[in-house]
Amino acid sequence: MNQDKPREIRLALDAIPLGGKAEGKAGEDAVLFVRDADGVRAFQAKCPHLGAPLAKGEICGSRLYCPWHKAAFAIADGSVEEPPALESLTRYPVRIEGGEAVATLTPEPAPAKRAGTTVGAVLIVGTGAAAVACVTTLRREGFSGTITMIGREVQEPYDRTKLSKQFLAKPTPPEAMLLEPDFAAAHRVERIAAEATRIDPATRSVTLADGRVLTGDALLIATGSRAVRPDFEGVDRDGVMTLRSLDDAVRLSDAAEQARRVVVIGAGFIGLEAAAFLTKRGLSVTVLSREEIPFAKRFGEAVGTALKRYHAGNGVTFVTGRVARIVGDESVAAVEIEDGTRLPADLVVIGAGAAPETAIVAGAEPDAQGGLAVGTDLKLADGVWVAGDIAAFPEHGSRLTARIEHWRLAQQHGTHVARAILGATDAFSGTPFFWSNQGDKRLDYGGYAPDFDRVILQGDPAALDFIAYYVRENRAVAACSIGRNPAFTAFLHLLGEDRVPSPEAIEAGADLPALA
């Protein structure tokens, strides 16, 4: 065998549907073939985000969507169009030989880009999803200027979405959460681990706790949120924790090694994810919630009831009530609720939500939701943008002003800001999406419907096989799903293009994948 000959993967053309895709394999090698009226192309077979098999994804219009977390890629050339992936697909040369498509496993070189901009220095406050997406997009688009990233955390940027999930199921090294082993070096970023005490949008300047003042030609404010820690009596006892940062997750995971009984205060996403994965670890977990049915306001009672039943079936105990105090000597011993009931605990996890970090932004008054109001350009001032949790922005699908704490939306904001820094003038119109690992089930939610009028429910929530559409002012503006990936992905795509069918058409059984 000629060792110098490039490896190839062959697949019969008949196995690649027109307008579709198919995976081809040769030994341990695999590629994804995509076929349309312009011919056949071949790309890497797995999503660059977390390795999902793209053959199980969906093609909607000109996009290929990852089956797990809805990263989107252009089927024309594999370029990334929506996060959480931040890099384009590797493309391989393809030739047609007889009735076969033949991919040569020598990657085609990525086109060299050089950004044309007068901006020489970009200053970013924050090291989370919006900041990382901004940096990655700037460099991918050919920006060669200086980028300075300021944040109080000393770690390299990490995947915050994992902290309340698999990280808690068993002892896990913190390095496993990092997005890259050395993000700053890989993207030529000056990383400053310091506390910012004042941001002045008028001068595009940032003052640090040690007195240093930094300025930039462009400034991104992406300070994110902090975990809310209610003023319960006893909240400062040892063993009472929040879960927001990697340091929080490490402390919680370490404490779980010694604990037997956990009380989770709050039945939101962080609370129920933590409860599910700490239960997998063998701990006895009780969730204390003010609401009888978790997520009823967000997803409706049918979905909330099904999720509660699922977690209860996996060993999580639910108690309805309000915290009166946290009792114990130096360490926590129990959580006492207002009716006098005591819930024994060696460990307490508070999942009471997050508050946007906006106090250090000079001259900017937060709105009623705590966010900084911006237009569709996400601009706060000339050369200054805000992104992520702190942005109160016009949400495209619902036509409401929204402040949304989604990791992927923060990435979308960061990507938009990077392109704006490089001269783009289009409005931000990204569709919000998040996923939640509820134990072994992945829940997908797309759109924005804080006060929906009604729910169109298809499938069986009790079996956790359903899709629910949320209608507001006679428009379906959001959907929630478990196990209905084709319909959900199509809805997400159609929502982004303002092509969602009417609620009446959805109720009548509209074929969303065919419309997308």
Side-chain angles (χ1 to χ4, degrees), residues 12-64:
L13 282 173
D14 290 346
I16 314 169
L18 186 63
K21 62 195 181 318
E23 186 175 89
K25 290 185 175 181
E28 296 183 357
D29 296 323
V31 298
L32 183 77
F33 289 100
V34 176
R35 184 183 181 194
D36 60 15
D38 295 325
V40 179
R41 292 170 293 285
F43 304 104
Q44 65 187 78
K46 293 185 177 181
C47 179
H49 172 225
L50 287 180
L54 292 173
K56 294 184 178 181
E58 305 296 330
I59 290 179
C60 297
S62 61
R63 287 180 168 184
L64 167 66

Side-chain angles (χ1 to χ4, degrees), residues 141-399:
E141 296 299 315
F143 178 70
S144 59
T146 63
I147 303 176
T148 303
M149 193 161 63
I150 303 164
R152 68 172 70 97
E153 294 186 82
V154 299
Q155 300 97 342
E156 292 285 329
Y158 55 85
D159 188 338
R160 195 182 301 275
T161 67
K162 295 180 180 179
L163 300 184
S164 56
K165 301 178 177 68
Q166 290 83 354
F167 187 83
L168 296 181
K170 60 182 179 181
T172 305
E175 310 85 68
M177 301 297 103
L178 299 183
L179 296 173
E180 295 183 46
D182 195 342
F183 177 87
H187 298 278
R188 308 188 310 283
V189 173
E190 181 185 358
R191 176 78 167 84
I192 299 177
E195 183 84 21
T197 57
R198 187 175 190 272
I199 301 172
D200 187 349
T203 58
R204 294 195 293 272
S205 65
V206 179
T207 303
L208 305 183
D210 62 9
R212 281 180 292 170
V213 179
L214 306 176
T215 60
D217 302 315
L219 171 63
L220 169 60
I221 307 172
T223 46
S225 297
R226 66 184 183 280
V228 172
R229 195 175 178 92
D231 190 23
F232 302 135
E233 180 185 336
V235 74
D236 293 326
R237 285 192 165 88
D238 288 345
V240 180
M241 302 184 179
T242 56
L243 180 54
R244 181 71 186 173
S245 68
L246 180 54
D247 286 342
D248 290 341
V250 170
R251 284 192 292 268
L252 177 56
S253 183
D254 289 346
E257 283 288 278
Q258 310 301 323
R260 293 183 299 111
R261 298 168 300 185
V262 181
V263 171
V264 176
I265 299 173
F269 292 107
I270 296 295
L272 285 189
E273 287 181 351
F277 286 98
L278 289 171
T279 299
K280 282 178 173 287
R281 197 160 173 168
L283 280 70
S284 173
V285 180
T286 298
V287 172
L288 173 63
S289 173
R290 296 180 180 184
E291 296 80 27
E292 177 69 26
I293 301 174
F295 300 131
K297 291 181 180 179
R298 169 81 58 109
F299 300 141
E301 289 194 2
V303 175
T305 298
L307 289 170
K308 180 178 180 179
R309 184 184 299 118
Y310 170 73
H311 286 292
N314 287 332
V316 176
T317 299
F318 286 87
V319 174
T320 304
R322 293 173 178 262
V323 176
R325 62 187 60 84
I326 297 174
V327 298
D329 295 325
E330 290 185 1
S331 298
V332 62
V335 175
E336 184 177 312
I337 59 178
E338 289 179 343
D339 68 2
T341 301
R342 288 195 172 189
L343 307 175
D346 312 302
L347 184 59
V348 172
V349 181
I350 298 176
E357 297 268 26
T358 57
I360 63 173
V361 183
E365 188 68 28
D367 69 0
Q369 300 180 67
L372 300 180
V374 292
T376 55
D377 58 4
L378 304 184
K379 267 192 172 183
L380 189 64
D382 185 38
V384 181
W385 292 263
V386 298
D389 293 4
I390 66 170
F393 69 101
E395 197 278 314
H396 178 72
S398 66
R399 299 165 190 167

Side-chain angles (χ1 to χ4, degrees), residues 341-468:
T341 301
R342 288 195 172 189
L343 307 175
D346 312 302
L347 184 59
V348 172
V349 181
I350 298 176
E357 297 268 26
T358 57
I360 63 173
V361 183
E365 188 68 28
D367 69 0
Q369 300 180 67
L372 300 180
V374 292
T376 55
D377 58 4
L378 304 184
K379 267 192 172 183
L380 189 64
D382 185 38
V384 181
W385 292 263
V386 298
D389 293 4
I390 66 170
F393 69 101
E395 197 278 314
H396 178 72
S398 66
R399 299 165 190 167
L400 298 171
T401 296
R403 190 184 72 78
I404 301 174
E405 297 169 359
H406 295 175
W407 193 72
R408 180 180 181 266
L409 183 73
Q411 292 179 307
Q412 290 172 301
H413 281 176
T415 298
H416 176 88
V417 170
R419 290 172 175 156
I421 290 171
L422 299 180
T425 58
D426 54 315
F428 177 76
S429 59
T431 302
F433 162 76
F434 72 86
W435 70 93
S436 175
N437 285 41
Q438 298 288 307
D440 293 329
K441 300 292 184 179
R442 192 192 74 242
L443 178 147
D444 291 331
Y445 182 90
Y448 182 64
D451 299 305
F452 54 84
D453 302 322
R454 63 189 179 100
V455 183
I456 301 171
L457 189 58
Q458 297 175 351
D460 184 0
L464 297 184
D465 179 18
F466 69 91
I467 184 167

